[in-house]
Amino acid sequence: MLGDRRNELPAEALAYKRSRQLKEGAIAAVMLVAATVGALTTAGIILSLFGETVAFFREVSIIEFLTETEWTPLFSIKKFGIWPLVTATFLTSAIALLVAVPLGLLAAVFLSEFAGSRLRAVLKPALEVLAGIPTVVYGYFALTVVTPLLRHVIDLSLFNGLSAGIVMGIMILPTVASLSEDAMSAVPQALREAGYGLGANRAEVAFRIVMPAALSGIAAAVILGLSRAVGETMIVAIAAGQNPRFTLDPTVPIMTMTTYIVQVSLGDTPYGSLAYRTLFAVGTALFALTFVLNIASYLLVRRFRQEYD
Amino acid sequence: MAFVADRLERTAAYRPRLRIRRTYNTIATGVGLIAIGIGLGTLLWLVTETVLNAIGWLNWQFLTEFDSRFPERAGAKAAIYGTAWVMAFTMLFALPIGVMAAIYLEEYAREGWLKGFIQINIANLASVPSIIYGLLGLQVFVRWMELGRSVLAGALTLALLVLPIIVVATQEALRSVPPSIRDASYALGATRWQTIRHHLLPYALPGILTGNILAASRAIGESAPLITIGALTYVPFTPEGPLDRFTVLPIQIFNWTSRAQADFQHVAAAGIVVLLVILLLMNSAAILLRELMRKRY
C-alpha cells in the first residue's frame, strides 16, 4: 500500500524534510521567546519595584510610611508618610468618577438601547477619540481653560484637585462608556423583548431591565475607570499642583502619587540614595493599588460573561 | 357587566401614568444624548481653544528652532526629532516581538497552563499605569543594562508599554481568518510556518497594521514613562545616535505648560497642534490602509 512506502523516501526528500523540521523548530522557538517577553515584563516590574522598596524600608519604618501624615522626603526634616499622596490620588480619582460614571453610563445606555446602528457607528468611534488624546493635552486644557473658568465661580487656587479631577473624568468617560456598553449588549435580547412584550417603553426596559442585568459588567467598567484615574500622571502633574498635603479640599494644590514620581524624576536624584528609593516605594504602592482594582474588574467581567453563556 | 366596569376602571387608572411614562422615556433619551454631547462637546472645546491659542505661534520658525528661554524664539525642533528617533526604535522592537508573540499564542501554543499564564500576563500588563513602566525602564534599561538616559532606553520602555496592544490586535486579526483557509493549507501538506507566512499573515495584515498604528499612536503621546527614565525637558540639540539623550514632543509641551511666563501657554498650544496633527495623520493612514488592504475571500 502507499503508506508502507513512507519510510523509503529518497535521500533528497529526507534531507529536505529534515531541514524543514529544523527550520520549523527554530521558528517556533523564536516565537516562544517573543511570547515570554510578556511574562518577563511582569517579572521585571515586580523585581524592580520590590528590590528598591525593600531597600527603602530598611531605612524608613513601614509604620511611619503607613501612619505619618506628612510627606517631606526632600526637605531637611524628612517625613515619610504616604497619606498625603494617597488622599490626593483618591480625591482626584473620586472627582473623576463623579464626572465619568453618570455621563459614561448615560452615554452607554443611549448607545446600547436608544441609538440606531448608524448613529452608533458614528458616535462610538467619536467617543473613542476622547480616549486617544495624549494626557498632556488634557493637562494643558485643565490648567489653561478649566481652572480660569471655575475661578469665576469658586474660590480656587491656580493648582487644584477639582479641575484636574473633572478633566480626568472626561478622559476616562470612553472607558466607562465602552465597557458598560459591552456589558449591556451582552444582556440577552429575550429579556428586552419580554419587557417590550409587557408594554414597557424603551427607557423602562433600558433602566429597569437591562441595566440591573448588566450590573456586574457596569461595576467592572467603573472599577477599570477608577484604576485608570489612579494611574494617571500628566493631568494631575500639570493641573493639580506639587504640594503634598493631607487634605480632601479640592480647591488647594495637592500632590498625587504619580506627580511625586514625576517631580523626583525631573530632578537629578543620585542612584541608590534614599530619595531615589522613595520613587519605588511610592511606585509599589501605586502598582499594588491598581493591581487590586484590575483584578476586581477582571473577576467582575468574567462573572458577567459567564452569566449569559 | 362587572367585568366591563372593572376594565374601564383600570383603563382610567392607566391613562395618566401612561403620560408620565412617555415623558420619562423622552427625558431619558434626551439625557443620554446630552451625556454624549458633553463628552464630544468637551473634545471640540478643547481642540478649538488650543487651536485659537496657537494662532500666530505655530509657524515655520516654531518647527525648526530649538527651545529657548524666550517664548517668541522657542521651537519644537529637538522635540520633533526626538519623537521621530524614539518612535522609530520603539516600533522596531515592539512590532516584531508583538506580532511573533501573538503568532505563538494563536498558532503554536497548546492549550495549557503556559499559554494561559502568558495571556493573563499580557492582559494584566495592558492596565498597568504607564509611569510604572517608567520605573521598570529606569531600573532595567537605564541602570542595569547601562544604556543611560538614551533614546534606546526610552524606546525599549515604550515598546514594553505598547506590546500588549500589538499582541491583542494581532491575535484578534489571526482569529478572524476563516478556519477553512488554515485547514486547506494543512491539508495540502504545508507546514505550520508555511501556512502562517503565506496564508494567515497576508489575510490578517490589515488588522495587524491597524493594531500597530494604534500602538504607535499611544506611544507617541506618552510622557510619564519617558520623564521617569530621564528624558530631558530643556534640550538644545537633536539626537545623533540611539545612545544620545533626547526629549519628545509631549514632554516639551509639559515643560512649556509648566513655565511661568504666560506666553509659553501659546507655545505649548502650538506644540499640541503639531502633536494632534501627527496623530490625526497616523490614524487616517491606518483607516486608509485598512480599507485598501481589505480582501474578500
Side-chain angles (χ1 to χ4, degrees):
Chain A
M1 298 250 73
L2 212 61
D4 298 342
R5 302 185 55 186
R6 233 183 315 152
N7 294 327
E8 297 172 18
L9 283 175
E12 8 176 83
L14 258 172
Y16 170 74
K17 184 174 175 186
R18 216 55 47 84
S19 83
R20 196 132 268 287
Q21 280 173 336
L22 218 70
K23 182 175 170 190
E24 289 286 318
I27 292 179
V30 167
M31 301 284 171
L32 176 59
V33 167
T36 50
V37 171
L40 284 176
T41 308
T42 311
I45 291 180
I46 295 181
L47 284 174
S48 323
L49 291 179
F50 188 69
E52 295 294 327
T53 308
V54 161
F56 173 79
F57 281 121
R58 280 204 204 109
E59 290 189 51
V60 175
S61 94
I62 194 167
I63 310 282
E64 181 188 351
F65 191 68
L66 294 176
T67 58
E68 174 64 66
T69 59
E70 276 189 63
W71 178 259
T72 58
L74 303 172
F75 291 1
S76 41
I77 307 179
K78 299 184 190 301
K79 302 230 172 156
F80 292 96
I82 189 113
W83 281 107
L85 303 182
V86 170
T87 51
T89 305
F90 168 73
L91 179 64
T92 49
S93 306
I95 296 176
L97 281 186
L98 277 174
V99 169
V101 171
L103 290 180
L105 283 187
L106 285 171
V109 166
F110 182 81
L111 284 175
S112 159
E113 306 296 316
F114 289 87
S117 47
R118 274 212 301 202
L119 193 58
R120 193 182 312 148
V122 165
L123 289 179
K124 226 183 151 183
L127 271 184
E128 291 299 317
V129 175
L130 272 176
I133 303 253
T135 50
V136 248
V137 180
Y138 278 116
Y140 165 87
F141 183 64
L143 184 67
T144 58
V145 178
V146 179
T147 300
L149 205 73
L150 288 176
R151 286 178 96 180
H152 289 309
V153 193
I154 339 172
D155 184 21
L156 216 56
S157 329
L158 182 59
F159 297 110
N160 59 80
L162 188 61
S163 311
I166 292 177
V167 172
M168 264 212 296
I170 301 283
M171 183 197 74
I172 63 177
L173 194 154
T175 308
V176 174
S178 182
L179 206 51
S180 304
E181 203 236 327
D182 285 347
M184 287 189 235
S185 305
V187 173
Q189 193 62 10
L191 281 171
R192 286 189 192 86
E193 298 191 349
Y196 289 130
L198 288 170
N201 58 33
R202 218 174 263 238
E204 288 165 342
V205 168
F207 287 104
R208 296 208 212 162
I209 299 182
V210 177
M211 250 182 98
L215 205 56
S216 52
I218 293 177
V222 171
I223 294 180
L224 204 66
L226 177 61
S227 168
R228 282 210 61 193
V230 163
E232 172 46 43
T233 310
M234 298 318 286
I235 302 182
V236 280
I238 295 179
Q242 318 228 331
N243 308 52
R245 191 181 300 207
F246 185 54
T247 175
L248 283 177
D249 183 355
T251 62
V252 296
I254 48 178
M255 177 189 264
T256 63
M257 295 194 268
T258 47
T259 306
Y260 174 72
I261 299 178
V262 163
Q263 192 197 45
V264 174
S265 306
L266 284 172
D268 244 329
T269 319
Y271 177 51
S273 66
L274 187 60
Y276 180 79
R277 300 211 164 107
T278 57
L279 276 180
F280 291 87
V282 175
T284 306
L286 184 66
F287 182 68
L289 199 51
T290 51
F291 189 69
V292 165
L293 289 172
N294 290 333
I295 297 232
S297 174
Y298 168 75
L299 289 175
L300 283 166
V301 167
R302 222 169 50 155
R303 194 152 75 111
F304 97 68
R305 291 224 174 109
Q306 269 174 359
E307 273 167 2
Y308 300 118
D309 272 342
Chain B
M1 282 309 291
F3 173 77
V4 175
D6 172 58
R7 280 296 178 270
L8 279 173
E9 183 190 319
R10 283 180 198 249
T11 313
Y14 170 74
R15 281 266 155 80
R17 269 205 53 85
L18 189 61
R19 194 171 304 146
I20 298 174
R21 288 169 57 211
R22 286 222 180 104
T23 324
Y24 171 61
N25 195 30
T26 325
I27 295 181
T29 321
V31 161
L33 205 54
I34 290 177
I36 297 191
I38 293 181
L40 295 179
T42 312
L43 177 63
L44 218 63
W45 184 23
L46 188 155
V47 173
T48 317
E49 280 282 351
T50 311
V51 169
L52 286 178
N53 266 336
I55 291 181
W57 291 83
L58 180 58
N59 46 35
W60 191 246
Q61 185 223 350
F62 174 76
L63 295 173
T64 52
E65 288 295 315
F66 285 117
D67 193 10
S68 150
R69 283 179 300 126
F70 303 102
E72 318 78 50
R73 289 199 241 146
K77 180 171 180 184
I80 295 178
Y81 273 72
T83 301
W85 272 89
V86 171
M87 285 309 302
F89 276 95
T90 303
M91 295 317 289
L92 185 68
F93 292 117
L95 197 152
I97 297 182
V99 172
M100 288 199 291
I103 292 178
Y104 176 79
L105 288 171
E106 276 304 304
E107 303 296 322
Y108 283 90
R110 252 167 301 178
E111 287 299 326
W113 71 270
L114 182 63
K115 178 177 179 185
F117 180 66
I118 296 181
Q119 295 262 205
I120 292 184
N121 257 300
I122 293 185
N124 188 45
L125 283 174
S127 354
V128 170
S130 57
I131 201 164
I132 304 275
Y133 281 96
L135 291 175
L136 167 68
L138 186 58
Q139 278 292 85
V140 174
F141 301 127
V142 175
R143 302 289 177 193
W144 185 58
M145 284 187 167
E146 296 183 10
L147 294 172
R149 299 163 172 233
S150 59
V151 169
L152 203 55
L156 287 168
T157 309
L158 282 186
L160 288 183
L161 178 68
V162 299
L163 205 62
I165 303 177
I166 299 181
V167 172
V168 169
T170 307
Q171 275 188 285
E172 290 289 319
L174 285 171
R175 271 185 217 144
S176 74
V177 178
S180 50
I181 295 192
R182 228 180 243 112
D183 294 342
S185 175
Y186 287 132
L188 287 170
T191 62
R192 192 164 287 172
W193 175 243
Q194 282 170 332
T195 309
I196 296 174
R197 162 91 172 74
H198 297 285
H199 301 288
L200 301 182
L201 277 183
Y203 192 97
L205 209 55
I208 296 179
L209 224 58
T210 312
N212 276 288
I213 298 194
L214 226 73
S217 306
R218 171 85 195 271
I220 219 175
E222 284 291 338
S223 28
L226 293 178
I227 295 181
T228 313
I229 63 144
L232 298 168
T233 51
Y234 185 82
V235 187
F237 57 82
T238 61
E240 311 232 320
L243 289 172
D244 284 354
R245 305 200 62 170
F246 68 102
T247 190
V248 289
L249 200 46
I251 295 182
Q252 185 72 86
I253 296 171
F254 169 65
N255 181 247
W256 283 330
T257 315
S258 316
R259 290 200 202 164
Q261 294 115 307
D263 277 346
F264 269 111
Q265 301 304 334
H266 294 283
V267 183
I272 292 177
V273 172
V274 172
L275 186 59
L276 290 180
V277 165
I278 295 177
L279 275 173
L280 190 64
L281 288 174
M282 282 171 75
N283 285 313
S284 310
I287 300 177
L288 203 70
L289 272 169
R290 199 155 64 151
E291 288 309 307
L292 284 178
M293 295 177 82
R294 199 175 282 278
K295 287 189 206 178
R296 308 255 169 240
Y297 277 76

